[in-house]
């Protein structure tokens, strides 16, 4: 097994300058009405780059004003003082006993490299074999990073962004095959050699992962987090660094490369995202497409308008137009579209075909007819040649709302679905990673008889508390804070008592996952983000983008299609 190693001489603790200027909204929402009302993010007196249309960013390619201008062994401290403790939320939040406990647990999960915090480990559960839970995962650190940004402690996030960027630049090989230059690591670990007084970073690009699959989502999360850091702090200097600009371009080069694919969606392997085991999500899974869309929009805001950046801006704009049309047309499912698919003709040829992917109506699963409410809809799990995965996937649909991949009407429909199918998708513990579970013969074929992904467990219909922050953000953006509040209160009845497990099992999420780690860091951080965002909805600006009106072409899918 090949591992990436970087030796660095230890030089003791370094002081950390955590003074920042928090870039909030001009208007903060101290209270939100229970009446459904979409939250307008355009609250600044002057339009920021977030609200500039694609046409404004591409025509003339003029610069936009918003973006100008690795320590000790993995040690976990009971308390880490960054020098700044200025909570941006009311005192009632800080005095909540479960919040205090969660904040203490989050600080104990900090990992240090050369005296500086560079991330949080996956879990602090010492009762089981570590496996890779003692590492810093890119996707896992995102909710932790949001907590630190909300609390005015951005230095940790900055350190993480720069450290992972450095790892990206190293040669990546699995056996004799070299990965793309822009691939970001799935995780990294800090090892300390007391004899040599050195520290070593060990990164995993997929060569150590179960299934040996490289993470497609890591690069997207990195860009999204860079934008969140910039939005929260108002510090544009980090994104403008030549190495950050190059890192973004390398990621974009991988996913914007031209090939044989006839779709604007991104083709990827099973196990390349949060669902990192075989679950039948290969091809064009909704999670990757929504993250891809969000990362492209964030990159459009962060890339400098120099000679190298302009070419990417044009490519991004073109891809976003195509991707938004494709996803909003072919991935969207509501009652009318379900009835259209039910009546599809097959073996159609030429550009006039209505059933463009040659989906067989007999492949419609029985459960979807009862699951689909009269008012509501969602983005399908996957769409490809003769394939429609009708499963609901939480992360992809929530991210579609936050990135405005979903139109306002589609965002409303997704929330209608969640409320209509509360028992199925939320149950007794938020939130189903996917619905429904696959079982019996289908489970054997799709998962390869994976004992960890048995029905209603882990990735196969398990309930993941980390998803609470995504649901909360989507609720606030669509004007339904009461839905998020209901989910958070439900989680508060058990999360702390159960020692913050990684996931829950069962149709209703009633049981602690059979192999779930305790004190899972992103379960802790996901709860904190949800609480802090509900207390101060202006934090939503870090992870949400308004719809770009220029990305709303007239849909001409077929004469029978009405969006």
């Amino acid at each position: 097994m090949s591992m990436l190693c970087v030796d660095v001489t230890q030089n003791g603790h370094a002081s950390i300058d955590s003074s920042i200027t928090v870039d909030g909204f001009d208007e903060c929402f101290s209270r939100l009405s229970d009446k459904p009302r979409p939250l307008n993010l355009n609250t600044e007196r002057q339009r920021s780059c977030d609200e500039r249309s694609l046409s404004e960013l591409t025509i003339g390619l003029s610069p936009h004003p918003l973006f100008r201008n690795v320590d000790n062994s993995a040690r976990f401290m009971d308390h880490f003082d960054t020098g700044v403790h200025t909570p941006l939320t009311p005192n009632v939040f800080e005095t909540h006993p479960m919040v205090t406990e969660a904040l203490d647990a989050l600080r104990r999960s900090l990992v240090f490299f050369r005296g500086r915090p560079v991330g949080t480990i996956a879990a602090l559960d010492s009762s089981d074999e570590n496996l890779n839970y003692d590492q810093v995962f890119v996707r896992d650190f995102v909710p932790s990073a949001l907590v630190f940004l909300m609390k005015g402690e951005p230095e940790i996030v900055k350190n993480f962004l720069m450290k992972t960027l450095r790892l990206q630049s190293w040669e990546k090989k699995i056996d004799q095959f070299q990965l793309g230059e822009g691939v970001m690591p799935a995780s990294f670990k800090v090892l300390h050699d007391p004899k040599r007084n050195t520290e070593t970073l060990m990164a995993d690009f997929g060569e150590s992962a179960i299934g040996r699959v490289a993470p497609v989502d890591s690069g997207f999360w990195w860009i999204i987090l860079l934008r969140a850091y910039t939005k929260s702090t108002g510090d544009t200097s980090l994104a403008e660094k030549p190495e950050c600009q190059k890192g973004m371009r390398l990621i974009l080069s991988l996913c914007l490369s031209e090939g044989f694919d006839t779709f604007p969606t991104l083709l990827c392997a099973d196990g390349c995202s949060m669902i990192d085991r075989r679950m039948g999500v290969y091809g064009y899974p909704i999670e990757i497409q929504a993250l891809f869309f969000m990362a492209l929009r964030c990159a459009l805001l962060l890339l400098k308008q120099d000679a190298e950046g302009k070419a990417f801006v044009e490519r991004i704009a073109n891809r976003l137009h195509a991707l938004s049309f494709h996803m909003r047309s072919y991935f969207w499912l509501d009652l009318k579209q379900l009835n259209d698919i039910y009546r599809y003709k097959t073996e159609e040829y030429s550009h006039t075909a209505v059933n463009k992917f040659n989906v067989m109506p007999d492949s419609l699963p029985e459960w979807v007819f009862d699951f689909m409410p009269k008012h509501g809809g969602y983005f399908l799990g996957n769409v490809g040649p003769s394939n429609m995965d009708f499963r609901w996937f939480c992360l992809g649909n929530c991210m579609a709302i936050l990135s405005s991949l979903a139109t306002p009407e589609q965002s409303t429909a997704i929330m209608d679905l969640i409320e209509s199918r509360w028992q199925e998708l939320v149950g007794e513990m938020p939130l189903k990673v996917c619905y429904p579970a696959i079982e019996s013969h289908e489970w054997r074929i799709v998962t390869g008889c994976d004992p960890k992904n048995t029905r209603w467990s882990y990735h196969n219909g398990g309930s993941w508390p980390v998803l609470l922050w995504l649901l909360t953000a989507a609720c606030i953006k669509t004007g339904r804070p009461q839905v998020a509040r209901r989910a958070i209160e439900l989680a508060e009845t058990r999360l702390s008592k159960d020692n913050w497990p990684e996931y829950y099992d069962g149709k209703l999420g009633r049981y602690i996952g059979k192999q779930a780690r305790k004190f899972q860091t992103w379960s802790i951080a996901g709860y904190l983000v949800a609480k802090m965002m509900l207390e101060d909805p202006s934090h939503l600006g870090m992870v949400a983008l308004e719809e770009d009106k220029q990305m709303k072409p007239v849909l001409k899918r077929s004469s029978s299609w009405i969006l």
Side-chain angles (χ1 to χ4, degrees):
M1 177 182 69
S2 65
M3 301 294 288
L4 171 66
C5 297
V6 184
D7 285 341
V8 182
T9 301
Q10 184 181 7
N11 65 352
H13 290 279
S15 61
I16 298 173
D17 180 10
S18 298
S19 58
I20 63 163
T21 301
V22 178
D23 178 22
F25 290 103
D26 285 347
E27 299 179 38
C28 292
F29 297 83
S30 58
R31 290 185 305 168
L32 290 177
S33 169
D34 283 351
K35 180 180 178 181
R37 178 174 55 86
L39 178 61
N40 183 8
L41 300 181
N42 297 325
T43 57
E44 297 172 333
R45 291 194 179 99
Q46 304 228 350
R47 298 173 64 204
S48 74
C49 182
D50 288 8
E51 293 115 27
R52 287 174 177 263
S53 68
L54 287 177
S55 61
E56 288 178 285
L57 287 172
T58 55
I59 297 175
L61 297 172
S62 57
H64 41 80
L66 183 60
F67 299 101
R68 298 272 189 274
N69 234 148
V70 247
D71 313 342
N72 294 328
S73 169
R75 294 184 297 118
F76 317 114
M77 301 176 62
D78 289 337
H79 297 280
F80 172 71
D81 189 350
T82 61
V84 172
H85 291 287
T86 53
L88 305 180
T89 49
N91 290 334
V92 64
F93 167 79
E94 292 289 358
T95 57
H96 192 293
M98 193 162 150
V99 171
T100 303
E101 177 191 336
L103 286 170
D104 287 343
L106 182 63
R107 294 189 186 282
R108 287 196 300 272
S109 72
L110 282 168
V111 175
F112 294 81
F113 185 66
R114 295 182 60 191
R116 297 194 178 193
V118 293
T120 51
I121 62 167
L124 276 172
D125 187 359
S126 59
S127 61
D128 290 313
E129 182 186 356
N130 276 332
L131 291 178
N132 56 0
Y133 283 78
D134 62 347
Q135 299 186 26
V136 180
F137 281 80
V138 172
R139 76 173 69 95
D140 290 39
F141 180 68
V142 171
S144 296
L146 295 177
V147 173
F148 290 122
L149 289 174
M150 291 178 187
K151 286 187 65 61
E153 303 174 24
E155 196 69 22
I156 304 167
V157 182
K158 184 177 182 179
N159 293 340
F160 170 84
L161 288 167
M162 295 306 296
K163 197 57 61 181
T164 48
L165 184 64
R166 182 180 178 186
L167 294 173
Q168 181 201 39
S169 65
W170 285 79
E171 184 180 66
K172 301 169 279 286
K173 279 189 177 181
I174 297 181
D175 293 330
Q176 300 300 313
F177 185 70
Q178 185 164 317
L179 277 66
E181 190 179 0
V183 173
M184 279 285 184
S187 63
F188 65 87
K189 185 175 182 178
V190 182
L191 295 180
H192 178 60
D193 184 347
K195 292 182 179 179
R196 298 172 56 195
N197 197 30
T198 59
E199 287 181 334
T200 304
L201 281 182
M202 293 173 36
D204 177 18
F205 292 93
E207 72 270 30
S208 302
I210 296 174
R212 301 301 188 264
V213 178
V216 174
D217 61 339
S218 288
F220 298 151
W221 280 122
W222 188 88
I223 293 175
I224 292 167
L225 186 56
L226 178 61
R227 185 260 172 186
Y229 171 89
T230 306
K231 182 71 176 178
S232 173
T233 65
D235 175 18
T236 63
S237 63
L238 180 63
E240 290 177 344
K241 285 180 176 289
E243 53 266 46
C244 284
Q245 292 289 313
K246 181 182 178 182
M248 280 190 287
R249 292 196 301 268
L250 288 175
I251 295 169
L252 295 169
S253 294
L254 280 178
C255 56
L256 294 175
S257 59
E258 298 173 350
F260 290 97
D261 213 328
T262 57
F263 313 133
T265 41
L266 192 64
L267 182 66
C268 54
D270 221 341
C272 66
S273 59
M274 176 185 175
I275 299 178
D276 58 2
R277 298 168 76 95
R278 180 178 168 186
M279 270 290 292
V281 295
Y282 56 88
Y284 309 94
I286 179 60
E287 176 179 335
I288 292 298
Q289 311 314 318
L291 287 172
F292 181 31
F293 186 87
M294 182 64 155
L296 288 179
R297 290 202 66 191
C298 290
L300 201 60
L301 304 174
L302 297 167
L303 283 171
K304 296 176 72 173
Q305 304 292 323
D306 53 18
E308 293 178 296
K310 287 180 181 179
F312 277 96
V313 167
E314 291 175 348
R315 293 170 66 186
I316 291 171
N318 291 334
R319 190 63 167 265
L320 282 171
H321 280 287
L323 185 59
S324 61
F325 173 82
H326 185 91
M327 297 296 297
R328 293 170 181 178
S329 300
Y330 304 117
F331 271 69
W332 181 251
L333 187 73
D334 55 18
L335 188 60
K336 182 189 183 305
Q337 179 60 9
L338 180 60
N339 194 68
D340 288 345
I341 296 172
Y342 180 70
R343 293 168 48 83
Y344 265 169
K345 295 179 181 180
T346 60
E347 307 300 327
E348 293 182 296
Y349 181 75
S350 87
H351 64 276
T352 60
V354 175
N355 185 2
K356 294 182 184 292
F357 298 96
N358 199 35
V359 174
M360 308 298 165
D362 287 344
S363 68
L364 281 163
E366 291 185 8
W367 63 264
V368 76
F369 294 99
D370 294 328
F371 180 72
M372 182 60 69
K374 184 176 181 181
H375 300 289
Y378 64 101
F379 286 98
L380 292 170
N382 215 323
V383 175
S386 296
N387 172 48
M388 279 190 177
D389 185 345
F390 289 88
R391 285 176 293 176
W392 150 272
F393 288 88
C394 177
L395 194 156
N397 276 274
C398 287
M399 187 56 70
I401 292 175
L402 297 179
S403 66
S404 289
L405 170 59
T407 65
E409 296 77 17
Q410 289 173 334
S411 296
T412 297
I414 292 171
M415 296 307 304
D416 287 343
L417 177 86
I418 292 174
E419 291 198 76
S420 298
R421 296 293 174 256
W422 187 263
Q423 278 295 96
E424 292 91 338
L425 302 180
V426 180
E428 295 185 18
M429 176 55 66
L431 195 64
K432 289 295 179 193
V433 67
C434 69
Y435 180 89
I438 52 179
E439 49 190 320
S440 303
H441 184 58
E442 185 183 10
W443 165 78
R444 294 185 181 91
I445 294 173
V446 173
T447 73
C449 298
D450 187 349
K452 197 166 185 178
N453 274 336
T454 54
R455 63 177 185 169
W456 307 113
S457 180
Y458 204 47
H459 300 131
N460 189 12
S463 299
W464 292 71
V466 64
L467 298 171
L468 194 60
W469 81 265
L470 286 154
L471 174 66
T472 300
C475 288
I476 295 172
K477 189 169 189 282
T478 54
R480 303 194 191 188
Q482 75 280 2
V483 176
R485 190 176 298 114
R486 180 184 176 189
I488 291 171
E489 290 173 354
L490 193 61
E492 286 177 332
T493 63
R494 293 190 58 190
L495 265 181
S496 177
K497 294 177 183 177
D498 295 338
N499 294 322
W500 306 94
E502 179 184 14
Y503 64 94
Y504 286 78
D505 286 350
K507 276 191 175 183
L508 299 178
R510 182 173 293 173
Y511 309 101
I512 298 175
K514 58 186 175 182
Q515 294 187 42
R517 290 301 196 278
K518 299 292 185 68
F519 299 101
Q520 184 81 15
T521 303
W522 71 350
S523 295
I524 295 165
Y527 164 73
L528 286 171
V529 173
K531 287 286 285 187
M532 296 170 82
M533 197 172 287
L534 198 60
E535 290 287 340
D536 185 355
S538 68
H539 290 313
L540 179 66
M542 287 192 291
V543 293
L545 296 169
E546 285 282 18
E547 183 182 27
D548 192 311
K549 302 301 182 183
Q550 298 299 323
M551 226 169 6
K552 200 172 183 180
V554 177
L555 299 179
K556 298 181 180 179
R557 175 177 174 170
S558 70
S559 58
S560 64
W561 172 256
I562 301 176
L563 187 62

